[in-house]
Amino acid sequence: MRNSTYLKMGLNMLLHSKLRSWLTIIGIVIGIGSVVGILSLGEAMEEQVQSRLAEMDLTLITISPGYTRASSNMPGPPGMGGTSTDVELTDDDITALQGLDGIEYIAGQISGSEPVVYAGENATMTITGVDPQVWQYMTTLETQSGRLLEPSDKYVAVIGSGVASDTYDQEVGVNQVITINGKSVRVVGILTEEGWGDRSIYMPIDAAVNIIDDAEDDVFDTITVKAKSEDLVDGLMEDIEDKLMISRHIIQEDDRDFSVSASKSMAESVTEMTSSITLFLGAIAAVSLLVGAVGIANTMFTSVLEKTKDIGTMKAIGAKNRDILMIFLFNSAMVGFVGGILGVTLGAFVSSGLQAMMGQMTSGSGVSLHLIVEGLVLAVTIGIVSGVVPAYRASKLKPVDALRYE
């Protein structure tokens, strides 16, 4: 027989057992839909994460007081995370590190929450003091209006878009004056939207020392180092740790009172975590595929029993074992194919709905072409594998026994 004949007879079997076949197909639809939907959502999350990570400067290294923060390798906004400690980072630490090869820029930062008044309204904001000499070369922040800090600046500030637009009834614009902890500060720039940075205020560290309570000259909350290249980051982190251990007179690792973390490490950790979550959810969804495969096998065994006399008739008129085998395999493959088409469609709707619910956490790119193809191939493969044993048993039936079957 030709393949077209196998296809025609397999399709005829599918159409003449509608209810049972469609109940089987539903199992495949749910399985493929779950896998495609979850993997598509995972791809969208990874794409969004990679997009955000691409905007990061992976050459930055952060030094913070207290050793607990080192274990996280997850640097955040200055002054956030870690444990409270009386240990301080000072200008002596910067001096000790300045001679290291691989460092392009190094600067200290201070941070604190202070009352900010504008147009008679009061709000508490995070104030970050940075070195204006190098900050513009070390930050990935960009302004939507105005400019970044310059070396000659003193009592001026660059504010986040949330401070400018969402904090006060009146929008804060460039060259407007805000009052921070009783001191007047002129706004010279407004940043583009940057997540947690939207409600931050950046100003020269010399002025921030006079504004932030408990701030001291030459004492920093964090020290930021910019490596000359991303490839030098890992080695430079080790050099920084060794140098600070010596300069701070620390002999044993257990006595270490500072942490060194890198944005590169954070990017790698986030990527691995996202991939693991996607794999885990995909594995859970794959369980439903197993249920669908069992359903196909059960349907095929039932079809063999129902078609036993027909098998005997076909063999009596010359059909070979291979012909019977191929007819039933085509039938099971078509069950998988139809289930795969509907499953991919369901997965696309599920993925779109979940991406819409999660908003900015995903890129909203929909189901990719390779997932559609892989979903269909997987469905057909499951159909064929599940139908192999029933089809083989049908092909081995003897014509006389099949014709006598009741």
Side-chain angles (χ1 to χ4, degrees):
M1 295 184 187
R2 297 179 178 179
N3 288 337
S4 59
T5 305
Y6 298 143
L7 179 62
K8 182 178 180 180
M9 296 185 72
L11 181 60
N12 185 60
M13 291 173 61
L14 178 64
L15 295 176
H16 283 81
S17 55
K18 293 181 180 178
L19 180 59
R20 185 176 62 250
S21 297
W22 278 105
L23 289 176
T24 303
I25 288 172
I26 287 175
I28 297 296
V29 170
I30 294 174
I32 294 294
S34 300
V35 171
V36 170
I38 289 176
L39 292 182
S40 177
L41 178 64
E43 283 189 351
M45 291 176 61
E46 288 188 19
E47 185 178 332
Q48 183 70 3
V49 168
Q50 293 301 325
S51 175
R52 293 292 181 88
L53 294 180
E55 299 173 359
M56 293 177 58
D57 187 347
L58 300 184
T59 63
L60 293 182
I61 300 172
T62 303
I63 306 166
S64 307
Y67 186 55
T68 303
R69 276 197 276 195
S71 62
S72 67
N73 281 329
M74 295 285 284
M80 295 182 65
T83 58
S84 59
T85 175
D86 293 332
V87 179
E88 296 178 340
L89 297 174
T90 67
D91 199 48
D92 293 336
D93 296 310
I94 293 180
T95 302
L97 296 176
Q98 282 178 334
L100 290 179
D101 292 333
I103 292 182
E104 185 171 10
Y105 299 108
I106 182 171
Q109 295 185 3
I110 62 174
S111 180
S113 296
E114 300 296 338
V116 180
V117 179
Y118 177 70
E121 295 181 77
N122 193 340
T124 300
M125 300 289 171
T126 299
I127 312 300
T128 301
V130 298
D131 185 350
Q133 300 279 349
V134 297
W135 184 60
Q136 60 182 311
Y137 306 111
M138 299 178 67
T139 184
T140 57
L141 298 174
E142 297 179 352
T143 57
Q144 64 182 15
S145 59
R147 60 173 176 82
L148 293 175
L149 300 177
E150 296 178 350
S152 59
D153 288 333
K154 182 76 172 181
Y155 283 96
V156 301
V158 174
I159 64 176
S161 60
V163 178
S165 305
D166 304 327
T167 303
Y168 305 102
D169 290 339
Q170 296 184 31
E171 185 170 331
V172 184
V174 175
N175 291 324
Q176 298 294 312
V177 176
I178 58 178
T179 303
I180 306 176
N181 205 8
K183 292 183 172 59
S184 297
V185 176
R186 183 170 60 89
V187 176
V188 295
I190 298 174
L191 299 172
T192 55
E193 294 185 10
E194 284 288 337
W196 55 263
D198 289 349
R199 295 185 62 82
S200 295
I201 297 176
Y202 297 87
M203 59 187 306
I205 192 168
D206 291 340
V209 167
N210 299 325
I211 289 178
I212 299 174
D213 291 336
D214 300 326
E216 303 177 40
D217 288 328
D218 299 328
V219 176
F220 312 111
D221 293 320
T222 60
I223 294 174
T224 304
V225 174
K226 181 178 175 64
K228 291 181 179 178
S229 72
E230 186 179 332
D231 296 334
L232 299 176
V233 169
D234 293 334
L236 186 56
M237 287 179 67
E238 295 180 4
D239 293 341
I240 289 172
E241 291 173 359
D242 294 339
K243 193 71 173 180
L244 289 180
M245 292 279 284
I246 296 173
S247 67
R248 296 174 75 90
H249 308 292
I250 301 171
I251 300 175
Q252 297 182 357
E253 184 72 20
D254 292 341
D255 296 330
R256 185 169 153 186
D257 59 0
F258 64 91
S259 66
V260 180
S261 57
S263 54
K264 179 182 178 182
S265 301
M266 184 192 72
E268 293 171 350
S269 299
V270 171
T271 300
E272 291 177 3
M273 181 178 64
T274 306
S275 299
S276 298
I277 292 174
T278 303
L279 182 62
F280 176 70
L281 294 177
I284 293 176
V287 174
S288 58
L289 280 178
L290 179 61
V291 176
V294 172
I296 291 179
N298 179 62
T299 298
M300 294 306 299
F301 275 117
T302 305
S303 295
V304 170
L305 292 176
E306 290 180 347
K307 302 292 183 181
T308 299
K309 280 194 174 183
D310 295 334
I311 293 170
T313 302
M314 285 189 289
K315 283 198 167 185
I317 61 177
K320 299 178 181 180
N321 287 354
R322 179 180 181 277
D323 296 327
I324 303 300
L325 177 68
M326 293 303 294
I327 289 171
F328 280 94
L329 284 182
F330 266 80
N331 182 30
S332 61
M334 280 188 286
V335 170
F337 181 70
V338 174
I341 292 177
L342 297 177
V344 168
T345 304
L346 175 64
F349 281 112
V350 170
S351 176
S352 298
L354 291 175
Q355 289 183 40
M357 291 173 60
M358 298 182 70
Q360 293 185 350
M361 292 182 63
T362 62
S363 62
S365 57
V367 180
S368 60
L369 179 60
H370 79 88
L371 264 184
I372 294 175
V373 174
E374 290 172 2
L376 291 175
V377 171
L378 179 61
V380 173
T381 302
I382 289 174
I384 293 175
V385 171
S386 302
V388 165
V389 175
Y392 179 78
R393 288 185 58 177
S395 69
K396 291 300 182 181
L397 286 174
K398 294 180 180 180
V400 176
D401 294 336
L403 288 170
R404 289 187 307 183
Y405 181 80
E406 296 293 338

